[in-house]
Amino acid sequence: MNRSEFLRLGAVASGVFALGGVTRIAGRSASAQSAVPTIDRLVMTNVVDNVYDIFAKSGQLDTITVQRTGMRFGTPALMAEHGLAYHLESVRGGERREVLLDFSLTERNLFQNYKILKVDPSSADALIISHGHADHYGALPDYARLMVGKMKPNLTLYAGGEDTFCSRVLVTPGGTIDHGALDRGALEARGIRVVLAPQPTIVAGHAFTTGQIPRLTDFERPPAAGRLVAGAMNSACSPTHFATSKVEAKPGDLVADTFLGEHATVYNVKGRGLVVITSCGHAGVVNSVRQAQKAAGVDKVHAIVGGFHLAPSPDEIVARTVEAFKQIGPDYIVPAHCTGLNTIIAVHREMPRKLVLPSTGTRVVFGA
Ligand SMILES: [Fe+2]
C-alpha cells in the first residue's frame, strides 16, 4: 500500500479528527516508516465475552497489567454470552479517546455490563463493527436507539465493507443459523454516520483499522459454514458483488461467504508495538496481523487479541497458527471469544508466558 494514499484515506475517513501526533517508527526495512498514530496507553476492556470467570487472576505481568471484575452476591453481575464487545480507551499526552468495538448479541447483557464496568456508552468518540455477524452487531441497533440525543455529534461507525450490511446465515449439520442483517439505513436514521473503510483508516485519531485483509497464508480459510444471502441484482449484496469470478446465483440464494469486508482494529503503543484485535478472525488471525504490520509499517507486535475462530479447526491448523505466532513474536496473546479451547491449550503449551486468558470484565492496560 502506498503511504500517501493511507494518509489521505485516513484523513478523509476520520473526518474531524486531526492526524496530529503521527510519528515515524522503524518498520520492516530501514526506509519503512509508520503512517499511524502512536499512543501512550491503551486500556482494553472486554465488556462482553463468551466466558465470565470470577476466579481469573489479576496481576502485573512483565509489561502489562491485567485487572478483573469480581462479583458480589445480591447485586447485578456481569453477563457472558456468545458475543463480543470492547471498550477501548487510549491516551496520548493529555488527549483521551474512547472507541467502542463490536456490540455483542443482546442489549440486556451489553448495557448491563457497560453499567457495571462504569463505561458510559454516550462518551464514545467512534464506533467500529468488525463484520456482519449478529454476535458482534446484535445490540448495535439498540445502541443507536438508546443514544439518540446523547451521542457525540458526527459519531461515526467504521465498517470494513458493504457486505457488513448483508444477510448472513451459517449452514451447519445441526441446522441453519440466521444471523440476519445489520440495517445501515436505520443506524443513519438515528444519527450515526457510517463510513466504509476497505482501506486502512485512522479512527478517532488514535486507532486504525486494517482495511480488507489479503489472504496470504495457505492454511487459513473462511468458515465452511458461512453463507451470504444474495440480494437484488445491482444491490450491494447482489450475487456478483463479492465474487472475483462470475457467480450463478439468484436473489435469495446462499453464496459462500468470504468475509470480504471483515477488518481488524489496531493500536500502536509507544515503545511496545502493535495491539491487534481480530474480533472474530474469519480472515485469518495471521493474515490480520500481517495486514496490520503492513498498514502501519511497524513489525513489532505487542499483543494479538482474539477471537481467532479456530474452535472448529483441526489440530494441524491450530499447530500452524501457533507456529506463525512464534514467528511473529508477540509479547502477549489474548485468545477471546471464538478462539476455542484447542488453541488456548496449544498456546499454553508452546508459549505459556505470553498467554493472557480473557474473561468478561477483564481490563488489560498496555503502555505506560
Ligand atoms: Fe464472532
Side-chain angles (χ1 to χ4, degrees):
M1 183 191 51
N2 175 313
R3 297 268 178 260
S4 61
E5 181 188 30
F6 178 86
L7 281 167
R8 180 178 60 77
L9 287 163
V12 169
S14 57
V16 299
F17 300 114
L19 289 171
V22 170
T23 59
R24 294 177 171 186
I25 291 180
R28 63 187 60 208
S29 70
S31 60
Q33 293 177 328
S34 177
V36 299
T38 299
I39 58 162
D40 298 321
R41 180 157 47 98
L42 170 65
V43 180
M44 180 184 80
T45 301
N46 203 165
V47 178
V48 182
D49 203 338
N50 292 38
V51 172
Y52 175 41
D53 179 3
I54 63 166
F55 300 112
K57 285 184 182 164
S58 304
Q60 174 76 41
L61 302 179
D62 287 345
T63 52
I64 61 171
T65 303
V66 180
Q67 303 166 349
R68 310 289 189 175
T69 306
M71 66 176 288
R72 282 185 298 162
F73 290 103
T75 61
L78 290 172
M79 303 296 287
E81 65 184 357
H82 178 70
L84 193 66
Y86 283 103
H87 173 257
L88 304 165
E89 179 184 358
S90 54
V91 174
R92 181 176 60 214
E95 186 181 76
R96 193 171 147 277
R97 293 281 185 265
E98 294 184 50
V99 172
L100 297 176
L101 165 62
D102 289 348
F103 300 86
S104 200
L105 185 62
T106 63
E107 174 206 336
R108 184 187 71 147
N109 289 359
L110 180 66
F111 278 79
Q112 173 151 316
N113 289 5
Y114 280 150
K115 195 171 177 187
I116 292 170
L117 294 166
K118 297 186 169 48
V119 167
D120 178 359
S122 69
S123 296
D125 296 294
L127 314 176
I128 301 172
I129 182 72
S130 61
H131 68 300
H133 269 165
D135 52 319
H136 297 256
Y137 78 72
L140 180 52
D142 302 294
Y143 176 91
R145 174 175 53 83
L146 294 166
M147 292 299 117
V148 169
K150 298 178 183 171
M151 67 181 85
K152 290 187 176 176
N154 297 316
L155 182 65
T156 299
L157 172 74
Y158 293 87
E162 287 175 306
D163 67 298
T164 303
F165 303 96
C166 297
S167 290
R168 288 185 145 89
V169 298
L170 296 177
V171 179
T172 73
T176 299
I177 302 168
D178 185 358
H179 273 272
L182 178 59
D183 186 340
R184 176 179 177 171
L187 298 177
E188 291 171 328
R190 301 282 192 190
I192 293 177
R193 182 172 162 253
V194 175
V195 165
L196 299 182
Q199 301 287 338
T201 298
I202 294 172
V203 174
H206 283 196
F208 70 97
T209 54
T210 56
Q212 294 176 4
I213 297 166
R215 286 14 180 202
L216 301 177
T217 62
D218 62 0
F219 59 91
E220 293 181 300
R221 299 260 186 275
R227 302 285 188 281
L228 281 161
V229 183
M233 297 306 291
N234 302 319
S235 75
C237 304
S238 73
T240 54
H241 186 79
F242 308 102
T244 51
S245 58
K246 187 168 163 39
V247 173
E248 300 291 347
K250 303 182 298 298
D253 285 353
L254 302 184
V255 180
D257 192 350
T258 59
F259 297 90
L260 184 69
E262 185 158 341
H263 56 176
T265 299
V266 193
Y267 288 84
N268 185 21
V269 183
K270 186 178 176 183
R272 305 281 203 266
L274 304 177
V275 175
V276 183
I277 308 170
T278 59
S279 285
C280 224
H282 297 121
V285 54
V286 179
N287 289 331
S288 303
V289 172
R290 294 301 187 201
Q291 173 62 8
Q293 291 171 307
K294 183 182 175 196
V298 174
D299 266 356
K300 174 61 187 163
V301 176
H302 186 38
I304 304 175
V305 182
F308 305 153
H309 205 85
L310 292 168
S313 296
D315 291 347
E316 187 208 342
I317 305 297
V318 172
R320 294 187 71 180
T321 302
V322 173
E323 211 42 52
F325 285 164
K326 287 181 183 172
Q327 288 170 14
I328 292 164
D331 300 316
Y332 298 101
I333 296 173
V334 189
H337 183 46
C338 53
T339 296
L341 195 55
N342 50 356
T343 304
I344 293 170
I345 290 169
V347 171
H348 184 256
R349 184 177 61 236
E350 301 290 327
M351 316 162 81
R353 291 181 62 83
K354 296 178 186 289
L355 177 63
V356 178
L357 274 181
S359 168
T360 300
T362 295
R363 283 193 160 101
V364 180
V365 182
F366 300 101

